Amino acid sequence: MSSLLNVSSSPHIRQSDNTTGIMLDVLISLLPATVFGIVLFGYRAAILIAVCVASCLVFEFLARKLFKNQGSLLDLSAAVTGLLIALNLPPRFPVWMAIIGCFAAIVVVKQMFGGLGHNFVNPAIAARIILLISFPTHMTTYHEPFNTDAITTATPLGMEECYLSVKELLFGLHGGSIGETSVIMLAIGGIYLIIRRVISPTIPLSFIGSVGVLTLILSGNLSDAIFAMLTGGVFLGAIFMATDYVTSPTTTLGKIIFGIGCGVITVIIRSGAAAEGVSFAIIFMNLLVPHIDGITVRKPFGWEAKKQ
Amino acid sequence: MSNKERILSPAGNIRGGTYLPHNKNTSKCESVVIPAPERVIIPLRQHIGAACEPTVQKGDTVYVGTKIGDIDRLVSAPIHSSVSGTVEKIEAIPMPDGSVCDAVFILSDGNMTPDPSIKPPTIKTKDDLITAARECGLVGLGGAGFPTHVKFRIKDDVHLDTLIVNGAECEPYITADERCCLENFNDVLEGVYLIKEILGIDKVVIAIENNKEEAIQKLYSIASDARDEDDTVKVMRLKAKYPQGAEKVIIYSTVKRKVPLGKLPSDVGCIVMNVSSVAALYKYITTGMPLVSRRLTVDGTAINEPKNLIVPIGTTLKEVLSYCKMGENEPTRIIMGGPMMGTSVPNTDYVITKTNNAVLAFYESTLPETTPCIRCGRCAAACPMKLNPASIEQALNAGATEKYKKLYADYCMECGSCAVGCPARRPLVQVMRTAKKEIRRING
């Protein structure tokens, strides 16, 4: 053996999972909701999705070069952000506005803070909030399903009196953002992520659960509680945005605190008339993650109280 | 009661850990004794503790089992010649861990003549057993290399209730302990009863992972031996979950006790011995032949015919590999020990020591590319010590020593469970080693 062998620190074997695989799983899990959104809202939704994904990838490529950040386009994290932004937009949202949202998410929130793994809030949530504040009318103009003409309708949460049945809410045959309407499609994606061990069910369950429980306590009405859980993007937010690794706690206890925090803030914001509870709740809890991590450090195996 | 019911289930199940592909390709491969190598190079430190001073000089004639190194220090173990021949020189050699150690070069005469002065010791008391373990040069053969006689020196006021015989062998590929159970069964059997009796231990748990059913059934006959009248010797079938064989983990799995940081198993009433160590001790007691050879597994993607070999200590890797049919291309990575905790070496001039349970050769050419941490938390979930390696890495990179001390970095046992499952391929074990070193430096 003439040449030197490769040496490195142990371990010398690695499991095959990588970041790209995880992001691909997230994309796959969003497929049911995406396809359903396109079927429901037509080609305009498809265009919006394509534009968001593409512009996120372009911004990621350029910004990463500019800021010399680590990472690669192939890790697909920008594609996930793009898809999530699109699913959070009304179907006929102007394309140029969506591109601004993607710019905000990828360039400002993600790459300017160091790229993948360094953003302190979820880029897709931040984009949604920035667009909502910048273009409030467009962000709240919704459309009837199966009707490409602009017939505006309020989302169930925005209605004075909701006439939709639980069944209609579950299937999502109503107005809303492209990807938020069908609870069933979102749940299928969530179950896929849990089975693939990409996410643990802790955050979604504590988030959705606390929205339901708190609404039940406040209203004393079970149907109100069910309605609160099934509308306003709770499922989309709880399964796909609150579980973002970078901006959620790593310990189980931390995840429970985070999930309940999201749920409680959602209900509080909603009680003050604004329909936009989920996004603000998640972004607020995102900011608390370092502190939640700080107070939930686990005691190591064999830890003794008196020694410390 | 049937056999199966008599085999115990684990008493505890540690959080974390990881399920790895076992790759126990050699579990059916009977060990082959390799012929005397032309030359052996025997390092004078093959254990935790003080290095030995050479007790031979250049030109001395030695036999198999002749003591060639010793030192009058508590934590140390003597070293013996593994071949018969002539001492060529005593010179420093590099060790796999990066240190340098004096080694005795012995030119073999090819006869493997045992030292005529060796004779079996008589074991009547605890002190006899301690002396025997020391003179045998026995150290923990599972990999840690803690001198066994030190383990036996228990203060009189400490009562050990359980002897845990560790046959978990949780590292992938390695089957040396498994083969020991099958091939040196009698040594294990007699060794267990001897140690139990001399040290006055109440009960014995022989713990082994459930991927070694043949060995489990074989070991069961130890538990059903006629001497075990009061039924205090048991075999336990452990879940095959890495790092099941780590001392703290196996103590929790078998008796559900937690060994605190910086404490020893004896502080929780246990003594843990590797099956191979038990067998080696008994072999010394019956024959007087100290620890001069080592059973090891040779495997990996670059080995066409994986094998178990019995190799004289001090044999070079080059020589060991020459007894196995290699693949067509030359390997690009060679590991001494298991793939999880073993050390990769830059060339094949390194030598087999007492604690070396495997030599693995792989083709894998480059390290996987590292990507940014996405805080997925898999490292923390896999850590059997319940640490958060990702946070510790972050604190280390920021130079925040106080922070990673508060994250309990010093509890890490470097098992590698965190790094093996990291989707970003971060070098977490390296990070933990650096953090531990830094904490030690600051604590003084």
Side-chain angles (χ1 to χ4, degrees), chain A residues 171-186:
Chain A
F171 284 99
L173 299 167
H174 56 78
S177 299
I178 296 171
E180 74 169 13
T181 61
S182 173
V183 169
I184 288 181
M185 294 298 162
L186 293 166

Side-chain angles (χ1 to χ4, degrees), chain B residues 40-44 54 56 68 87 89-91 102-106:
Chain B
V40 290
I41 304 164
I42 304 178
L44 289 169
V56 288
I68 56 170
V87 177
K89 58 181 174 182
I90 296 166
E91 209 176 85
D102 274 339
V104 180
F105 288 59
I106 299 165

Side-chain angles (χ1 to χ4, degrees), chain A residues 300-304 307, chain B residues 12-15 144 164 166 238 243-268 270 272 384-387 408-415 436:
Chain A
F301 180 87
W303 183 79
E304 282 179 310
K307 263 192 74 182
Chain B
N13 181 18
I14 200 160
R15 289 230 197 129
I164 299 164
N166 186 348
L238 300 172
Q244 190 66 264
E247 196 165 67
K248 285 183 181 183
V249 177
I250 206 165
I251 290 173
Y252 191 75
S253 294
T254 50
V255 292
K256 217 173 178 179
R257 293 176 201 165
K258 294 180 179 179
V259 182
L261 181 69
K263 295 282 176 67
L264 294 169
S266 60
D267 292 314
V268 295
C270 297
V272 185
M385 293 290 114
K386 292 164 79 181
L387 309 179
Y408 309 106
D410 44 352
Y411 278 74
C412 174
M413 54 183 189
E414 301 171 21
C415 69
K436 280 163 73 178

Side-chain angles (χ1 to χ4, degrees), chain A residues 47-62:
Chain A
I47 291 174
L48 207 52
I49 290 166
V51 166
C52 284
V53 172
S55 54
C56 276
L57 288 169
V58 171
F59 286 134
E60 171 102 341
F61 179 77
L62 296 176

